[in-house]
Amino acid sequence: MEQMMKISSSPHIRDQETTSGIMKQVIVALMPATIFGIYNFGIRALFIILLTVGSSIGFEAGYQKLTGQKITIYDLSAALTGLLLALNLPSSVPFWMPVIGSFFAIVVVKQLFGGLGQNFMNPALGAKCFLLISFAARMTIFTYDAVSSATPLVSLKLGERVKVLPMFVGTIPGTIGETSALALILGGCYLLIRRIINYRIPACYLGTFSILILIYAMATGRGFDISFLMAHLFGGSLMLGAFFMATDYVTSPVTSMGKVLFGVILGILTFLFRIFGAYCEDVSYAIILGNLLVPLIERITVPKAFGKGAKE
């Protein structure tokens, strides 16, 4: 008796997880950092978050309505982009800047390139770098307890000692969502446990960066200085970038070896920008440059098909 076989195009293995489900999980993972950011910087931080998320959703719906496309705001990707952008902004920015940033992230980086799945860089990071280049003075004013002061990374760059515990907890100046390494690590662990993200990118990213920082510390006479390493790990947007932006499905490699190589490249770039660059904002530029290299990374790490050189 002949057996009927169904032939279809790939993918042949499907997952029950939906786009909106994944976005919802990432938003949940960002809640510790979001709540702490509001606690740390006050009601103004809440207004910036709501404004950025709301304008991101509005720009996506408006663009799709004007171009006759299907409205996709219910997949929560625009909401997540807005939340990530808000967490990358200082609480002191004027309210018009999050709106401009949302427009750049949603319309320029995402929709003009075909929408979700077609953008070549992380929309939130693209918008942050756009705002940094366009409004550098306003994007580098950090206020904590109503006092403008330098971030710990700036102090480190000047050769000063910094306290690691406040950097880990988050009671320091910085952007709304980057200050608490503890909150970001908890969110990252949640994503790893739920298997929303793969461990390879954050592990290789943070691991490569840590090795280079320790080598630099020993080469400059600091010795095996763990506190210096911890200060660099907990400072800036490294934890936010490693767990929530470098792992973006669209702009990171698909292959396992590609994820490893991607993480290593990000660690090297972040180290070079942070130690030898003129500006302390290293993670955003490192990830964007890494995004641009993803097609090349996947080209050289794609597994060989059976019969085309792969071992049995």
Side-chain angles (χ1 to χ4, degrees):
M1 181 182 295
E2 294 185 0
Q3 183 178 2
M4 299 295 293
M5 301 186 68
K6 183 178 180 181
I7 300 175
S8 64
S9 61
S10 61
H12 303 295
I13 301 176
R14 298 179 182 271
D15 195 285
Q16 297 299 317
E17 194 67 78
T18 62
T19 299
S20 60
I22 292 172
M23 300 298 169
K24 188 183 299 181
Q25 295 289 348
V26 179
I27 291 173
V28 168
L30 283 169
M31 282 301 102
T34 303
I35 293 170
F36 186 85
I38 297 169
Y39 165 80
N40 210 24
F41 298 107
I43 194 69
R44 203 172 196 284
L46 175 60
F47 287 154
I48 289 174
I49 292 170
L50 293 177
L51 179 61
T52 313
V53 172
S55 58
S56 295
I57 295 172
F59 282 129
E60 178 150 308
Y63 180 88
Q64 291 174 335
K65 184 72 173 177
L66 288 173
T67 55
Q69 300 179 47
K70 178 183 177 182
I71 306 297
T72 61
I73 59 173
Y74 302 105
D75 64 11
L76 299 180
S77 62
L80 177 58
T81 295
L83 179 58
L84 283 171
L85 176 57
L87 296 182
N88 275 282
L89 297 176
S91 60
S92 58
V93 296
F95 291 135
W96 52 266
M97 280 182 60
V99 178
I100 292 177
S102 297
F103 175 84
F104 189 87
I106 297 298
V107 177
V108 178
V109 179
K110 184 181 178 184
Q111 291 300 330
L112 290 181
F113 285 90
L116 182 64
Q118 306 299 321
N119 49 285
F120 67 96
M121 71 170 69
N122 185 289
L125 282 184
K128 178 184 179 181
C129 291
F130 168 75
L131 293 175
L132 277 168
I133 294 170
S134 304
F135 313 104
R138 293 181 181 272
M139 284 289 289
T140 52
I141 297 175
F142 302 103
T143 304
Y144 180 69
D145 281 345
V147 177
S148 296
S149 58
T151 64
L153 279 186
V154 174
S155 300
L156 274 176
K157 202 168 187 66
L158 296 174
E160 302 172 5
R161 303 286 296 185
V162 297
K163 295 180 179 179
V164 174
L165 184 58
M167 297 177 71
F168 179 68
V169 175
T171 53
I172 56 172
T175 66
I176 294 172
E178 76 178 14
T179 58
S180 178
L182 174 59
L184 293 167
I185 291 171
L186 289 175
C189 289
Y190 174 82
L191 293 179
L192 289 169
I193 292 171
R194 295 301 301 268
R195 297 187 177 182
I196 300 298
I197 64 174
N198 187 281
Y199 73 92
R200 291 180 178 86
I201 291 177
C204 293
Y205 188 176
L206 298 175
T208 302
F209 179 78
S210 298
I211 292 170
L212 293 174
I213 286 292
L214 287 175
I215 293 174
Y216 174 78
M218 290 186 286
T220 53
R222 291 181 175 85
F224 197 78
D225 193 343
I226 296 298
S227 63
F228 182 71
L229 170 63
M230 292 296 105
H232 273 287
L233 284 175
F234 300 152
S237 55
L238 182 58
M239 292 297 170
L240 181 60
F243 287 111
F244 294 97
M245 292 182 288
T247 55
D248 176 35
Y249 286 7
V250 179
T251 56
S252 62
V254 175
T255 64
S256 296
M257 192 60 204
K259 294 179 188 296
V260 171
L261 182 57
F262 183 64
V264 171
I265 290 173
L266 295 185
I268 295 172
L269 289 175
T270 301
F271 167 77
L272 293 175
F273 291 159
R274 181 172 294 190
I275 299 300
F276 302 107
Y279 182 60
C280 289
E281 179 47 54
D282 43 31
V283 173
S284 299
Y285 294 116
I287 294 177
I288 284 181
L289 285 176
N291 293 159
L292 298 178
L293 293 175
V294 166
L296 177 61
I297 292 173
E298 292 197 320
R299 184 175 181 180
I300 64 177
T301 60
V302 64
K304 294 180 180 179
F306 181 72
K308 298 292 184 180
K311 295 180 180 180
E312 183 177 353

